[in-house]
Amino acid sequence: MTSCDERFRQLFDQSPDPTWIIEDNRFVDCNEAAVKLLGYSSKDGLLSSHPSDLSPEFQPDGQRSFLKAERILEAAMGDGIQRFEWIHRKADGTTFPAEVTLTPMTLDGRTVIHCAWRDITARKADETALQLAASVYRNTIEGIVITDSQGVIISVNPAFSEITGYRAEEAIGNTPRLLKSDRHDDAFYRHLWQTLLQTGQWQGEIWNRRKSGEVYLQHQTITRIPGLNGATAQFVAIFNDITELRRKDERIQHLAFHDALTGLPNRLLLADRLEHGIAVAERDGQRLAVLFLDLDHFKVVNDTLGHDRGDDLLQVVANRLHTAIRGTDTLSRLGGDEFVVVLTDPENEAEVAEVTERLIQAIDRPIELGGVMVHVSVSIGIALFPDDGMTVVSLMKNADAAMYAAKAAGKNTFRFFNAAMTRRAEERLQIESDLRQAIEKGQLELFFQPKICLASHLACGAEALVRWRHPERGLISPADFIPLAEDTGLIIPLGEWVLEEACRTLGQLGRHGIAPLKMAVNVSAAQFHEGGLEEMIRAAIERHGLEPGNIEIELTESMVMSDPDRAIRVLGKLRSTGFTVAIDDFGTGYSSLAYLKRLPIDTLKIDRTFVLDADADEEDAEICRTIIGLGNSLHLNIVAEGVETARQAECLAEWGCLMAQGYFFARPMPAGEFEAWLRGHGSITPDLMHQRKLNHQFASGQ
Ligand code: C2E
Ligand code: MG
Ligand code: MG
């Protein structure tokens, strides 16, 4: 070997790149680098092998290594240098990518191929990583925006377009302000930039606007990418649209705090609201009422009609309760047939009782469930803050206990937790049951209060006023039991008794030689609306040999004005028989003058409250004068109620009021006393009284 050959041999052997000589498609020589790369101990085992022997059976393109190698070697022999990538196999069976260069050359007069490998494992890995990154960038569902250091968009991925509606061409060159909504103030963006520049990253939720104009919520991470010198090279923002997610969250949140069946706040939210309510009430010195509701007989409905119908029923109940409370009150369902109402800032117990009564009435109406009429009722227990408890737990517990008391009291009713209040409610119940027996047991008494002719101070009539002599409670005022009698329907028999007794007394007075006077009898709304009033009164006077002119019916203004057309018919009938009619407590209701003119009535009774201060208060005096004027121009008698002083009587007489009634002249008295009083004071007959009225009208030019 020449020294030149020697040098080339060294060059060949010491080259860092694996190098081979191929002859007749077989490796005939190789250098140390090749032996080392393949992991062999010497080249002996490698020589005379075909390149495919040092390769896996197939190349990545699917071609058989042997055939592909043959083709490339042939091409190298024919066309010259070939450069390509090839997968080789090492001694241990692992493979690696190589860039192979085949160079045909002549050696000792024979054509051989110089084959050089470069291991491109690292380059391949980089390429793969880049491809992967690009694929992620293209395929991720997260929107990605890359801006330059000035915030100008230089690249966006397809998901960006998907979410925002802007195509890449539309976004590039713009800034992310393109997406800005008006949901955030300047401070928000200032803070974002500050954080981003200081910490290199900002993460958070931001409302942006799509190209379509729709505002949406995105969760976004913006990262500052530093360049070589540490200055910002780019900003990368990655975001996803979480609008739907947020909606779902809100739905879940709603479900967590609301009853699925009725949509009402559940126990958790109730506790929260109640706690808040207590804090407010405590701060503002207000009351708070917790009403614990439990349906009566719900189980029966549920068991007989099925759970679906039971659910329907609960929904109807929820709706009815809801419409019976104010917007500021909380209605919640605890589960099953239990509801709780929290009333904020009630004025007093009476107001709470009123709302509670309204809730009871709202449920106490039939409900149609799939063609079947069902009737349920509700029992309600009430606990008040601060009297009955200062905490959520104690108020709920006491309201619950009170609810059981309501159940025990016969259901379809309510109970206050407070013992005193419960006692009062029980008392009312007791009175109610006592009242039922009052008539039979002869506990009712009729008192009589004279009506006075103001000119002569003689009696010109009387008003019959009922009293109840209760065996334990003593004399009870009608103001205390008439409303109760009205509520319970007991007013009908009571009214009949009063009328009968009034007529009986009148008859008796006549037999005792007292000139017949006009007796006024109060009639309540229930009697008035029941019908048959005229027949009933007529029968009573006939029984006692009286004339219709002896009886005056007193009706309150509000009773008449609640249905004036009906009142006109009923009163017309009464008057055509000869009874006279007075409007009681006039001035307290809301009379329509148009109706007043058409009403078949005889007398207006000025309400006591105006007479009370008529001699001192100019406004009340004016009201009295107005009513008197009104009465005179409508040719009605005027009776002033509640005259307590001589001065009041003088004033009223001066203003043209002919009749009065009041403690100044006489208090209501039992029949015997009344008879004696009449004898002592003398009376004037209705006829004479009528004459006086005509004279008065003549004198005042009416
Ligand atoms: P009313 O019909 O307006 O009766 C007048 C009331 O004023 C009576 O009260 C009478 O005692 C009272 N009074 C009379 N003069 C004076 C006075 O100078 N000063 C004051 N402070 N009060 C005076 P009473 O008897 O307690 O009756 C209250 C109400 O109960 C009556 O008001 C009437 O609406 C009703 N009532 C009484 N008896 C009956 C009845 O038999 N049937 C019906 N349905 N209601 C009745
Ligand atoms: Mg009256
Ligand atoms: Mg009155």
Side-chain angles (χ1 to χ4, degrees):
M1 209 183 270
T2 64
S3 63
C4 184
D5 286 344
E6 191 69 25
R7 282 212 299 281
F8 276 111
R9 179 78 231 174
Q10 274 178 8
L11 213 62
F12 178 78
D13 276 340
Q14 287 165 18
S15 163
D17 287 332
T19 311
W20 306 76
I21 303 292
I22 301 173
E23 208 178 326
D24 295 331
N25 292 358
R26 303 246 153 212
F27 291 124
V28 293
D29 202 353
C30 71
N31 65 2
E32 264 309 301
V35 175
K36 228 169 101 194
L37 175 61
L38 290 176
Y40 284 82
S41 48
S42 78
K43 59 179 158 185
D44 297 342
L46 295 170
L47 299 186
S48 83
S49 58
H50 187 271
S52 64
D53 295 337
L54 301 177
S55 310
E57 194 178 349
F58 295 97
Q59 289 300 305
D61 60 3
Q63 294 191 55
R64 198 170 279 280
S65 293
F66 176 77
L67 295 174
K68 190 174 184 179
E70 288 284 305
R71 251 193 318 273
I72 297 174
L73 288 166
E74 194 184 314
M77 293 297 278
D79 307 338
I81 295 177
Q82 301 288 318
R83 200 188 298 272
F84 55 94
E85 287 178 11
W86 192 266
I87 303 293
H88 281 297
R89 193 178 57 209
K90 295 184 184 178
D92 62 7
T94 59
T95 60
F96 66 95
E99 189 184 76
V100 179
T101 309
L102 300 181
T103 314
M105 55 177 61
T106 308
L107 207 66
D108 301 333
R110 293 165 51 196
T111 305
V112 298
I113 291 173
H114 176 270
C115 165
W117 290 358
R118 176 168 299 153
D119 179 356
I120 54 168
T121 306
R123 201 181 82 198
K124 273 288 173 199
D126 283 353
E127 268 178 32
T128 312
L130 268 177
Q131 271 170 12
L132 198 67
S135 168
V136 169
Y137 186 70
R138 272 196 315 275
N139 295 309
T140 180
I141 56 159
E142 273 146 337
I144 302 175
V145 198
I146 303 172
T147 74
D148 64 15
S149 59
Q150 302 306 302
V152 176
I153 299 174
I154 50 178
S155 175
V156 298
N157 71 342
F160 169 91
S161 303
E162 184 84 13
I163 296 172
T164 65
Y166 288 103
R167 279 177 288 117
E169 313 87 88
E170 293 173 302
I172 290 169
N174 255 306
T175 70
R177 275 194 291 280
L178 183 67
L179 305 173
K180 195 168 177 253
S181 75
D182 46 17
R183 293 270 184 110
H184 304 286
D185 55 9
D186 291 345
F188 174 85
Y189 293 104
R190 251 199 323 276
H191 179 253
L192 181 156
W193 277 105
Q194 230 166 40
T195 313
L196 181 56
L197 294 176
Q198 269 167 19
T199 68
Q201 198 165 65
W202 180 87
Q203 207 175 61
E205 288 173 3
I206 184 165
W207 288 96
N208 272 350
R209 191 186 298 281
R210 299 188 220 274
K211 191 180 175 187
S212 66
E214 186 195 353
V215 173
Y216 69 101
L217 183 64
Q218 64 181 40
H219 182 267
Q220 163 160 302
T221 308
I222 312 176
T223 308
R224 190 178 76 94
I225 311 289
L228 286 176
N229 52 3
T232 303
Q234 284 112 23
F235 293 105
V236 178
I238 301 181
F239 61 90
N240 35 24
D241 182 350
I242 57 165
T243 319
E244 202 37 52
L245 203 72
R246 171 60 59 88
R247 261 185 223 132
K248 267 190 210 138
D249 272 1
E250 281 166 1
R251 269 200 295 278
I252 290 168
Q253 187 82 351
H254 188 269
L255 280 180
F257 287 107
H258 291 81
D259 167 41
L261 180 65
T262 60
L264 294 175
N266 64 9
R267 190 186 287 270
L268 274 174
L269 186 53
L270 169 71
D272 195 61
R273 295 253 179 101
L274 188 50
E275 191 140 354
H276 177 73
I278 290 172
V280 171
E282 191 149 37
R283 186 195 65 201
D284 298 346
Q286 295 171 348
R287 289 156 175 264
L288 194 92
V290 177
L291 278 52
F292 202 108
L293 288 75
D294 190 290
L295 295 183
D296 307 322
H297 317 298
F298 174 70
K299 205 175 129 38
V300 182
V301 176
N302 217 26
D303 290 351
T304 49
L305 296 182
H307 291 288
D308 286 350
R309 292 273 176 268
D311 284 355
D312 294 347
L313 176 79
L314 291 171
Q315 274 166 330
V316 174
V317 165
N319 282 336
R320 286 188 182 177
L321 294 175
H322 193 81
T323 46
I325 60 168
R326 296 173 306 177
T328 47
D329 300 329
T330 298
L331 167 64
S332 100
R333 180 174 171 237
L334 295 190
D337 58 348
E338 290 179 343
F339 295 84
V340 168
V341 173
V342 177
L343 304 179
T344 48
D345 191 21
E347 194 61 30
N348 47 35
E349 286 99 30
E351 191 188 310
V352 176
E354 202 175 292
V355 176
T356 310
E357 192 60 57
R358 208 159 61 220
L359 294 173
I360 289 175
Q361 311 259 292
I363 303 307
D364 198 15
R365 281 183 284 131
I367 296 172
E368 208 223 275
L369 292 179
V372 183
M373 290 307 253
V374 189
H375 199 135
V376 289
S377 52
V378 63
S379 297
I380 305 181
I382 306 166
L384 296 175
F385 169 90
D387 316 61
D388 305 334
M390 309 277 282
T391 64
V392 172
V393 174
S394 62
L395 285 168
M396 291 282 284
K397 198 186 90 206
N398 292 344
D400 188 39
M403 187 276 293
Y404 278 102
K407 291 261 183 203
K411 304 196 170 120
N412 197 20
T413 185
F414 68 92
R415 283 291 178 270
F416 279 98
F417 170 72
N418 184 297
M421 281 184 252
T422 307
R423 215 177 308 124
R424 234 175 291 153
E426 277 168 6
E427 222 170 75
R428 192 188 132 109
L429 248 149
Q430 185 60 47
I431 292 179
E432 193 182 306
S433 90
D434 289 353
L435 188 59
R436 284 178 199 284
Q437 304 167 28
I439 304 175
E440 299 152 34
K441 292 192 173 167
Q443 292 169 357
L444 294 182
E445 291 175 15
L446 207 53
F447 278 37
F448 302 90
Q449 184 176 36
K451 287 185 195 173
I452 307 294
C453 163
L454 279 175
S456 61
H457 281 215
L458 296 173
C460 59
E463 179 174 7
L465 295 160
V466 70
R467 301 285 180 267
W468 177 12
R469 197 170 295 281
H470 193 279
E472 287 126 43
R473 297 171 204 272
L475 208 60
I476 302 180
S477 147
D480 291 334
F481 67 88
I482 292 286
L484 196 70
E486 279 174 339
D487 284 357
T488 52
L490 285 171
I491 190 71
I492 302 291
L494 189 145
E496 277 178 42
W497 179 88
V498 168
L499 192 73
E500 181 68 21
E501 187 63 15
C503 291
R504 200 183 61 77
T505 308
L506 262 186
Q508 191 174 318
L509 286 174
R511 283 195 298 281
H512 294 181
I514 290 182
L517 47 78
K518 192 185 276 290
M519 179 71 73
V521 176
N522 293 284
V523 165
S524 86
Q527 285 172 282
F528 186 60
H529 291 124
E530 243 241 331
L533 188 63
E534 188 267 340
E535 291 82 354
M536 197 253 290
I537 306 173
R538 193 146 39 94
I541 57 166
E542 280 166 10
R543 269 198 296 281
H544 297 281
L546 304 172
E547 297 296 319
N550 290 129
I551 300 293
E552 181 154 81
I553 309 298
E554 288 195 10
L555 299 159
T556 63
E557 186 184 6
S558 49
M559 252 161 74
V560 170
M561 286 302 163
S562 69
D563 186 358
D565 288 322
R566 201 189 115 82
I568 290 171
R569 277 199 316 278
V570 179
L571 297 181
K573 194 171 173 204
L574 286 166
R575 281 185 85 224
S576 66
T577 311
F579 302 120
T580 58
V581 175
I583 301 296
D584 207 351
D585 304 343
F586 189 79
T588 56
Y590 298 92
S591 285
S592 146
L593 280 183
Y595 273 115
L596 194 63
K597 208 178 96 192
R598 289 175 52 204
L599 275 179
I601 55 174
D602 304 275
T603 305
L604 293 181
K605 295 186 77 177
I606 307 175
D607 191 68
R608 187 153 50 87
T609 51
F610 305 118
V611 174
L612 187 68
D613 283 333
D615 54 351
D617 184 288
E618 187 43 42
E619 224 169 83
D620 283 345
E622 190 53 43
I623 291 172
C624 289
R625 284 196 295 265
T626 305
I627 297 175
I628 293 164
L630 187 70
N632 285 337
S633 59
L634 293 175
H635 302 294
L636 300 173
N637 299 314
I638 302 293
V639 178
E641 288 188 295
V643 174
E644 296 187 359
T645 66
R647 176 99 190 96
Q648 286 166 353
E650 274 162 34
C651 287
L652 288 159
E654 196 176 303
W655 297 331
C657 179
L658 295 187
M659 289 182 271
Q661 183 183 344
Y663 295 168
F664 172 64
F665 305 106
R667 290 188 172 253
M669 303 165 266
E673 220 173 288
F674 177 55
E675 189 179 326
W677 184 92
L678 280 176
R679 286 189 202 287
H681 287 78
S683 59
I684 178 170
T685 59
D687 289 349
L688 252 176
M689 198 57 214
H690 187 64
Q691 193 56 49
R692 269 185 205 282
K693 182 178 160 194
L694 292 180
N695 290 344
H696 175 77
Q697 281 171 359
F698 179 76
S700 58
Q702 283 178 333

